[in-house]
């Protein structure tokens, strides 16, 4: 029997229990009304978004070939929350965890002989996982320089096509030249069979221009009956103590499509957009929302359209053919925002064919060293290696704000001597983008979507007028089309365009893409970085032009301002700030991918040409970097520059120039070697090819050195170097390597432009060339 105290305690417990049943739910309901359900909050906050990760070193491409036993792999990663770890696995059994998170590194990963497939994964605190992979081929002896090149990578079924393919192999005394050939692979890179041999014999019928330069070439006819992607690589052997050892290049691909199907697919797609244009032409004065709905209703009735989806006025059209195109009708976001007097004539027919002329070799990889004339704390890999700027604004006359005026002021007031090219509206074509590799800064101000699209202002031709090349490149997803608010259909480039159509390698460029969703995915960013850009900035979501202008001004004021800060120091993140327009609001994220260490350097860079290219220099005519010209090699290192009147070509001059600041230096030193076919036959004639070196401070141009054929002949002990060196006629003499030193003390504290030029006087039939090396400030 319970005591009185126990009964009282039982009564208290009962009352408390009743209160928990009746009162707490009421309080919980009140709290939820005020703040929302905690459980719902947890569900809302549950992170399901995978981190993004990509590989920068040793390359951002899918394959890399090396002879090293170990490799350093590094890159960047990001997440909407917090990263927990970066892990890796290799097909050779190696695995582990990288050091670092946002910027991560895998040090000295051992490589097995042959192909090593490495997958790197970024894991966040919610255990979401994003991955990137690379295949690294380790050859024991052979070094292939870059990926084999092919002049056309799209073929039609049952249509024979002769392709010109070349591959550059580093000099190797043990190379068996007859072993170099193209082999075909399956989808897993297993060998299927041999395709054809490659040659280094100087026979133009084989596609080989210069004999013995280790650039192997072939012209081979390919013909496939069915569609698909065909994979190839080059194999070659060397004679070693253990016998013949085979090595392999990176993989290249050919895409085979059905011409009739491709043509019909493109024709159907363009017909859809023609009907969209006609529909929009009848809806003047109506809102974007009404236009969008009308276009959607029409698309849903078309049998050639598989689906059409709308995201705030951005319509994605999935065609039954598998192609994808777009309609952009939103009214928000960025939418509101020498002497010619010749007294005698010479036969202009070359006496020696191009294949037998000495045009110079460049057969070694760029070593990525620390420039002798750059800051000791910054490697060549951390210097933006070109001072040209491109501002590309195809919709300037539609956006409410123009990025150019404020950026132009920033760039012109910079201590860096920047040259700005500004393309607007109809100037912004596909072709204008193919030359982006000559710019150190690129500012893109256009429409975009999904981190993969960039709109040009180039109108799409009617199908009947469209070149065949455009048809297969559209069918190959290199670019597509979009109908815009103005009712006109324009070309839209994709990340594949950046990867396949950009000429050359970008000079450690910084790309600011102010288009909407330019970093919603990493596809464009990775494509630019894969072509040699080092830093890419953009926006995860839609963006107002005013925001784009403000962020660009903020970033470039710091990057090119008086203190020349790094890309990391110049980038100020505004994560998840709210954009508002026309009653709508959305979260935006301003992001930066790639290197945080890039900066400009005011001094002379790449004066020894050991970057392996002309980065840092501007060139016109025949200006190049080579490793060898017949018997002539660099005075130091592996590379030298050359400016010529056109070795084997019709150019009349070659010129390189660079702007830099003179700080405490008093002298400029240049090593040069002048070679010409004008010697000795045309000494004393009107044919006076020349070498000229000038320096300009922007106000006055001073000639430091100027000499022509007669002067060289009288002042230097000319040496005949033919037959080891021949141009188009042979009979080449040279001055030999000379060193010229110039007093530049008067330019201290000033930015100057150095120009070196070799040109023709009289005619361009007999060629001359100047080798350059070790250009230094003392």
């Amino acid at each position: 029997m319970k005591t009185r105290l126990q009964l009282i305690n039982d009564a208290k417990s009962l009352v408390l229990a009743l209160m928990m049943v009746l009162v707490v739910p009421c309080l919980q309901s009140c709290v939820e009304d005020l703040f929302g359900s905690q459980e719902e909050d947890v569900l809302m906050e549950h992170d399901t978004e995978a981190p993004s990760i990509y590989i920068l070193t040793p390359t951002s491409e899918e394959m890399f070939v090396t002879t090293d036993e170990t490799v350093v792999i590094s890159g960047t990663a990001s997440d909407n929350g917090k990263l927990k770890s970066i892990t890796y696995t290799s097909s050779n059994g190696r695995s582990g965890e990288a050091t670092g998170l946002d910027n991560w590194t895998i040090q000295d990963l051992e490589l097995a002989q042959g192909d090593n497939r490495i997958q790197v994964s970024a894991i966040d605190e919610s255990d979401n996982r994003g991955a990137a992979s690379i295949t690294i081929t380790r050859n024991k002896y052979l070094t292939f320089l870059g990926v084999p090149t092919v002049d056309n990578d799209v073929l039609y079924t049952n249509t024979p096509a002769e392709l010109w393919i070349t591959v550059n192999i580093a000099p190797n005394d043990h190379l068996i030249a007859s072993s170099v050939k193209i082999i075909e692979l399956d989808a897993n890179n297993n060998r299927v069979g041999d395709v054809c041999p490659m040659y280094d014999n100087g026979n133009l019928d084989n596609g080989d221009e210069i004999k013995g330069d280790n650039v192997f070439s072939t012209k081979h006819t390919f013909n496939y009956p069915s569609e698909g992607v065909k994979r190839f690589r080059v194999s070659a052997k060397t004679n070693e103590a253990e016998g013949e050892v085979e090595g392999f290049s990176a993989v290249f691909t050919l895409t085979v499509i059905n011409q009739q199907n491709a043509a019909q697919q493109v024709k159907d797609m363009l017909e859809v957009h023609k009907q969209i244009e006609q529909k929009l032409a009848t809806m003047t004065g109506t809102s974007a929302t009404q236009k969008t709905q009308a276009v959607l209703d029409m698309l849903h009735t078309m049998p050639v359209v598989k689906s059409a989806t709308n995201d705030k006025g951005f319509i994605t059209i999935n065609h039954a053919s598998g192609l994808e195109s777009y309609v952009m009708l939103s009214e928000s976001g960025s939418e509101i925002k020498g002497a010619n007097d010749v007294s005698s004539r010479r036969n202009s027919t070359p006496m020696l064919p191009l294949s037998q002329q000495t045009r110079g070799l460049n057969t070694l990889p760029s070593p990525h060293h620390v420039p002798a004339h750059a800051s000791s704390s910054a490697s060549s890999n951390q210097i933006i290696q070109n001072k040209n700027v491109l501002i590309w604004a195809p919709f300037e006359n539609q956006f409410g704000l123009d990025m150019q005026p404020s950026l132009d002021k920033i760039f012109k007031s910079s201590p860096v001597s920047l040259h700005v090219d500004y393309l607007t509206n109809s100037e912004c074509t596909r072709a204008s983008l193919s030359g982006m590799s000559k710019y150190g800064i690129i500012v893109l101000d256009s429409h975009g979507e999904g981190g993969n699209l960039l709109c040009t202002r180039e109108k799409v031709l009617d199908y009947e007028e469209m070149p065949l090349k455009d048809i297969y490149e559209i069918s190959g997803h290199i670019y597509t089309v979009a109908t815009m608010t103005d009712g006109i259909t324009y070309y839209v480039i994709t990340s594949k365009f950046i990867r396949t159509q950009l000429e050359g390698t970008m000079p450690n460029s910084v790309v600011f893409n102010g288009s909407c969703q330019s970093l919603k995915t990493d596809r464009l960013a990775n494509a630019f970085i894969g072509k040699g850009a080092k830093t890419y900035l953009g926006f995860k979501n839609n963006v107002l032009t005013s925001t784009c202008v403000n962020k660009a001004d903020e970033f470039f004021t710091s990057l090119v301002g008086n203190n020349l800060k790094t890309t990391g120091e110049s980038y100020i993140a505004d994560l998840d700030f709210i954009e508002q327009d026309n009653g709508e609001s959305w979260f935006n994220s301003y992001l930066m991918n790639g290197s945080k260490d890039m900066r400009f350097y005011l001094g002379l860079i790449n004066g020894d040409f050991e970057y392996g290219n002309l980065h840092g220099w501007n060139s016109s005519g025949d200006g190049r970097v080579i490793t060898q010209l017949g018997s002539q090699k660099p005075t130091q290192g592996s590379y030298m520059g050359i400016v010529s009147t056109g070795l084997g070509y019709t150019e009349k001059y070659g010129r390189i120039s660079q702007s830099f600041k003179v700080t405490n230096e008093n002298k400029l030193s240049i090593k040069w070697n002048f070679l010409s076919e004008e010697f000795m036959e045309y000494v004393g004639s009107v044919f006076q090819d020349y070498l000229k070196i000038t320096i300009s401070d922007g106000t006055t141009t001073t000639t430091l050195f100027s000499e022509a054929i007669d002067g060289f002949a009288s002042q230097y002990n000319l040496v005949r170097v033919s037959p080891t060196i021949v141009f188009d006629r042979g009979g080449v003499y040279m001055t030999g390597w000379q060193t010229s030193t110039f007093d530049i003390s008067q330019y201290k504290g000033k930015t100057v432009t150095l120009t070196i030029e070799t040109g023709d006087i009289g005619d361009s039939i007999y060629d001359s060339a100047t080798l350059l090396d070790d250009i230094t400030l003392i």
Side-chain angles (χ1 to χ4, degrees), residues 537-550:
L537 300 101
F539 298 87
K540 185 175 182 179
N541 298 314
N542 293 340
V543 59
L544 294 175
T545 301
S546 57
T547 301
C548 181
V549 170
N550 291 338

Side-chain angles (χ1 to χ4, degrees), residues 163-450:
L163 303 183
W164 180 32
I165 303 169
T166 63
V167 67
N168 199 346
I169 302 176
N172 188 312
D173 293 338
H174 301 283
L175 175 65
I176 304 173
S178 60
S179 72
V180 182
K181 57 189 172 185
I182 297 173
I183 61 175
E184 187 168 358
L185 312 171
D186 63 17
N188 297 315
N189 292 340
N190 298 313
R191 190 175 195 150
V192 174
D194 297 346
V195 177
C196 64
M198 303 189 76
Y199 306 93
D200 184 21
N201 57 9
N203 187 339
L204 292 177
D205 292 336
N206 301 136
D208 193 64
E209 290 188 297
I210 304 172
K211 181 178 179 179
D213 64 351
N214 286 320
V215 177
F216 286 79
S217 312
T218 190
K219 286 184 177 179
H220 182 75
T221 299
F222 293 81
N223 188 10
Y224 294 96
S226 58
E227 295 182 299
V229 176
K230 306 298 181 181
R231 300 176 67 84
F232 307 89
R233 72 194 324 175
V234 176
S235 75
K237 295 178 180 179
T238 57
N239 261 324
E240 309 295 343
E242 64 264 44
E244 293 184 356
V245 180
E246 191 171 26
F248 300 94
S249 74
V251 172
F252 67 97
T253 62
L254 300 176
T255 301
V256 184
I257 60 177
N258 182 288
Q259 181 175 359
Q260 185 175 356
N261 290 347
Q264 188 62 50
Q265 291 169 4
V266 174
K267 185 176 182 179
D268 289 345
M269 183 179 74
L270 295 184
E271 179 59 32
V272 168
H273 282 271
K274 191 171 185 178
Q275 293 186 47
I276 293 171
E277 291 179 349
Q278 293 170 350
K279 184 70 174 177
L280 294 175
T282 67
M283 299 187 69
T284 57
T286 57
S287 68
T289 301
Q290 292 171 314
K291 291 177 181 177
T292 299
Q293 190 57 53
V295 170
L296 280 171
D297 291 342
M298 182 181 70
L299 291 172
H300 289 153
T301 67
M302 293 182 173
V304 294
V305 174
K306 182 179 180 181
S307 65
T309 57
N310 172 40
D311 180 12
K312 296 181 180 179
F314 184 93
I315 299 174
T316 300
I317 307 172
N318 292 298
H319 299 263
S321 63
L323 296 179
E324 194 170 86
S325 63
Y326 309 95
V327 183
M328 301 184 185
L329 301 177
S330 174
E331 292 175 344
S332 62
S334 59
E335 179 64 22
I336 56 177
K337 70 171 202 170
N340 296 317
D341 183 16
V342 182
S343 59
S344 62
R345 297 285 178 182
R346 298 181 287 188
N347 182 2
S348 61
T349 304
M351 296 172 63
L352 292 174
L354 184 61
S355 62
Q356 297 178 23
Q357 299 173 32
T358 309
R359 296 170 53 200
L361 317 181
N362 186 339
T363 59
L364 295 177
S366 179
H368 293 297
H369 74 309
V370 177
H373 321 303
S375 167
S376 60
S377 63
S379 72
S380 63
N381 223 27
Q382 297 171 329
I383 295 175
I384 302 167
Q385 296 173 356
N386 190 287
K387 297 173 183 177
N388 290 330
V389 177
L390 173 65
I391 303 176
W392 193 80
F395 295 93
E396 183 204 56
N397 63 350
Q398 290 187 8
F399 292 169
L401 286 175
D402 180 5
M403 296 180 69
Q404 193 263 346
S406 59
L407 284 178
D408 198 46
K409 183 177 180 181
I410 292 167
F411 292 140
K412 285 182 177 179
S413 62
S414 169
V416 183
S417 183
L418 298 170
H419 171 78
V420 180
D421 287 334
Y422 184 44
L423 300 181
T424 64
N425 303 321
S426 61
E427 297 174 317
C428 299
T429 62
R430 292 167 294 166
S432 69
L433 290 175
S434 64
M436 283 191 289
S437 55
K438 68 179 182 180
Y439 294 97
I441 292 177
I442 297 168
V443 180
L444 304 172
D445 183 24
S446 183
H447 293 288
E449 180 76 9

Side-chain angles (χ1 to χ4, degrees), residues 682-700:
Y682 290 99
V683 173
S685 75
V686 296
F687 305 109
Q688 294 292 310
D689 292 2
Y690 63 88
L691 166 62
K692 187 176 182 179
I693 303 172
T694 63
I695 192 168
S696 173
D697 61 4
T699 303
T700 304

Side-chain angles (χ1 to χ4, degrees), residues 88-151:
Y88 66 88
T89 59
S90 173
S91 58
N92 66 11
R94 306 289 177 180
S95 63
E97 189 168 324
T99 57
L101 294 172
D102 294 341
N103 292 277
W104 53 266
T105 302
I106 303 169
Q107 290 285 358
D108 300 325
L109 178 62
E110 291 186 23
L111 298 173
Q113 200 116 345
D115 289 340
N116 299 260
R117 181 171 176 80
I118 298 110
Q119 179 169 294
V120 187
S121 300
I123 307 167
D124 65 18
E125 290 193 330
S126 297
D127 288 327
N128 299 306
R129 183 183 296 262
S133 63
I134 184 172
T135 297
I136 299 180
T137 302
R138 181 192 163 206
N139 294 321
K140 192 170 183 180
Y141 299 109
L142 273 177
T143 299
F144 287 86
L145 306 178
V147 180
T149 62
V150 57
D151 60 343

